[in-house]
Amino acid sequence: MYAVTPPQRSDLGSNYGLRVYQTWKGSNIFCLQGRFIFGPDARSLGLTISLIVVPVIVFCIFVASKLMDDFSDTWGVSIVTVAVVFTIYDIILLMLTSGRDPGIIPRNSHPPEPEVIDGNSGTSQTPRLPRVKEVEVNGNIFKVKYCDTCMLYRPPRCSHCSICNNCVERFDHHCPWVGQCIAQRNYRFFFMFVFSTTLLCVYVLAFCCVYIRKIKESEDITIWKAMLKTPASIALIIYTFICMWFVGGLTGFHLYLISTNQTTYENFRYSYDRRSNPHNKGVVDNFKEIFCSAIPPSKNSFRAMVPREAAPMPSRSAVGGFMSPNMGRGNDEIEMGRKGVWAMAEHGDDKNGSNNERFHVNDDELGDIRTTTDDDEQSGSRPNIHPRHSSWEMSPEVMALASRRT
């Protein structure tokens, strides 16, 4: 694995020949020269894989192999085969969840131009970006917040993961068991991994019970004496029963989230009901959105070459006395926010409400968004935006939403 360390300021002008993953500013760990991206806690993958593989090995050696003598050749071999194939399938889903880009939004290379003046009348006025901007999607007002770290306005349902240090689209949660954020591009695989792990636990537990029953019937002894003859089966029954409560409960919880089109972050942080959740499209359409829709391509090309930069850009704080909209706020408020990311206008909490501009877009336009790179900006190919909005310099996603209606 390749642990990326942020480049020093003195190296900014000499990064020619490096790839994106080698100059990555997040806390991610890359493997196979940027082909796989993990979270900083990727070492937990070893523990997770062990918790799956070791019990299956014990099951195949001490239980399934013994059952081959009690069943016909075809049935006996199939017991072992199904366990092995199911385990491999489960590990593949785990790697698809952990080793891919969950939906990271590329951060801007410099902060936006400040527009709002925050201060008393006089010469001591300080330019300050508004902390919140509003975007309207299908009649629902979403509040997009500025991220100090990524220097962009986060799109709706996007949050900044403090562990990976990235803004992630449709952020669900950061799972330490898979060592990765669970978000837009890997949520489907995460749910399938949890669900298949539940089925694997049921499979192992069921055949352990069958093996104990076979011992009882063949030797004509009590069930307790039969259990004492196969301690491996007892250990597997206890282990899988405990795991079933964990992964089975997690499966049920995410089935509820999918049916109501919520994320774990939204469910714990906000109070949605059937009327107020603007993302809920109905149970059938909600499941189609997760399992039948195309996974959007990654907005990051981790193996792309980093272009040479002529010279480091001076920070905004040194030019014009720029102040971040979150300067002086606690770190948790900067990354996650104190209020809901969406609200109706009459319930808005932005103190700079007079400066909020609303963009009107359709819900089906949220999935078709092009990322504006620094090269696009230099070549003049960034989306056309009304001049009144140009100094906001929101994230490319929000800018693209606005450009469709202007």
Side-chain angles (χ1 to χ4, degrees), residues 204-205 208-209 212 227 232-242:
V204 172
L205 187 147
C208 285
C209 294
I212 292 175
M227 292 170 63
S233 297
I234 301 303
L236 288 173
I237 289 175
I238 295 174
Y239 176 79
T240 54
F241 181 78
I242 295 174

Side-chain angles (χ1 to χ4, degrees), residues 3 84 124 128 137 142 157 170 190 208 225 245 269 274 302 314 343 346 403:
V84 173
S124 60
R128 181 187 294 271
V137 182
F142 293 83
R157 311 194 83 177
R170 201 185 184 279
F190 171 77
C208 285
K225 291 182 179 180
W245 280 102
R269 195 161 184 89
R274 293 181 181 179
F302 299 110
E346 59 269 23
S403 66

Side-chain angles (χ1 to χ4, degrees), residues 66-367:
K66 306 294 183 183
L67 287 173
M68 293 175 63
D69 301 331
D70 297 328
F71 292 93
S72 61
D73 294 338
T74 303
W75 280 100
V77 173
S78 64
I79 295 175
V80 179
T81 303
V82 170
V84 173
V85 171
F86 217 130
T87 303
I88 295 174
Y89 171 71
D90 203 32
I91 298 300
I92 291 174
L93 289 175
L94 174 60
M95 297 308 299
L96 287 173
T97 302
S98 180
R100 65 188 291 125
D101 177 9
I104 299 172
I105 299 178
R107 63 184 67 192
N108 287 333
S109 58
H110 56 82
E113 292 286 348
E115 179 178 283
V116 178
I117 301 299
D118 183 17
N120 299 324
S121 59
T123 60
S124 60
Q125 295 179 345
T126 304
R128 181 187 294 271
L129 285 167
R131 184 173 63 93
V132 177
K133 291 291 184 181
E134 291 183 348
V135 56
E136 182 175 350
V137 182
N138 288 344
N140 297 303
I141 306 301
F142 293 83
K143 292 193 173 184
V144 293
K145 294 188 176 182
Y146 180 80
C147 177
D148 258 345
T149 304
C150 300
M151 294 183 288
L152 52 80
Y153 283 93
R154 297 193 293 255
R157 311 194 83 177
C158 169
S159 292
H160 189 97
C161 176
S162 58
I163 298 176
C164 293
N165 196 26
N166 297 310
C167 279
V168 186
E169 287 189 287
R170 201 185 184 279
F171 178 79
D172 189 88
H173 69 288
H174 184 96
C175 181
W177 295 100
V178 304
Q180 183 60 282
C181 292
I182 308 302
Q184 185 179 45
R185 299 189 69 250
N186 63 352
Y187 181 81
R188 177 186 305 177
F189 301 109
F190 171 77
F191 176 81
M192 294 170 63
F193 164 70
V194 174
F195 180 65
S196 62
T197 304
T198 303
L199 295 181
L200 183 61
C201 289
V202 173
Y203 182 85
V204 172
L205 187 147
F207 276 100
C208 285
C209 294
V210 170
Y211 181 50
I212 292 175
R213 185 177 179 84
K214 287 289 184 179
I215 294 177
K216 175 182 178 299
E217 293 176 351
S218 62
E219 299 185 12
D220 193 20
I221 56 179
T222 63
I223 190 70
W224 299 108
K225 291 182 179 180
M227 292 170 63
L228 293 176
K229 288 182 173 293
T230 172
S233 297
I234 301 303
L236 288 173
I237 289 175
I238 295 174
Y239 176 79
T240 54
F241 181 78
I242 295 174
C243 290
M244 278 176 54
W245 280 102
F246 176 72
V247 293
L250 197 59
T251 300
F253 175 67
H254 280 279
L255 281 172
Y256 162 74
L257 293 180
I258 294 172
S259 64
T260 56
N261 206 331
Q262 298 184 60
T263 64
T264 302
Y265 177 76
E266 291 170 348
N267 181 265
F268 279 90
R269 195 161 184 89
Y270 314 119
S271 178
Y272 283 156
D273 55 38
R274 293 181 181 179
R275 294 183 179 180
S276 65
N277 185 357
H279 310 292
N280 194 349
K281 303 175 183 178
V283 176
V284 176
D285 289 337
N286 290 339
F287 273 89
K288 286 182 179 180
E289 181 179 328
I290 297 298
F291 297 106
C292 300
S293 61
I295 298 176
S298 173
K299 292 180 172 61
N300 303 277
S301 181
F302 299 110
R303 290 178 49 77
M305 302 301 294
V306 178
R308 182 189 298 273
E309 297 183 15
M313 293 190 61
S315 63
R316 300 284 181 178
S317 58
V319 180
F322 166 73
M323 291 184 64
S324 164
N326 296 310
M327 187 172 292
R329 297 181 180 274
N331 188 49
D332 57 340
E333 186 174 359
I334 293 175
E335 308 300 347
M336 295 301 186
R338 294 291 185 183
K339 301 291 184 180
V341 295
W342 71 276
M344 299 305 294
E346 59 269 23
H347 295 104
D349 65 334
D350 186 11
K351 295 181 180 180
N352 297 322
S354 59
N355 296 307
N356 287 348
E357 300 287 347
R358 295 181 183 175
F359 298 130
H360 302 270
V361 297
N362 296 324
D363 187 51
D364 56 358
E365 296 175 345
L366 288 172

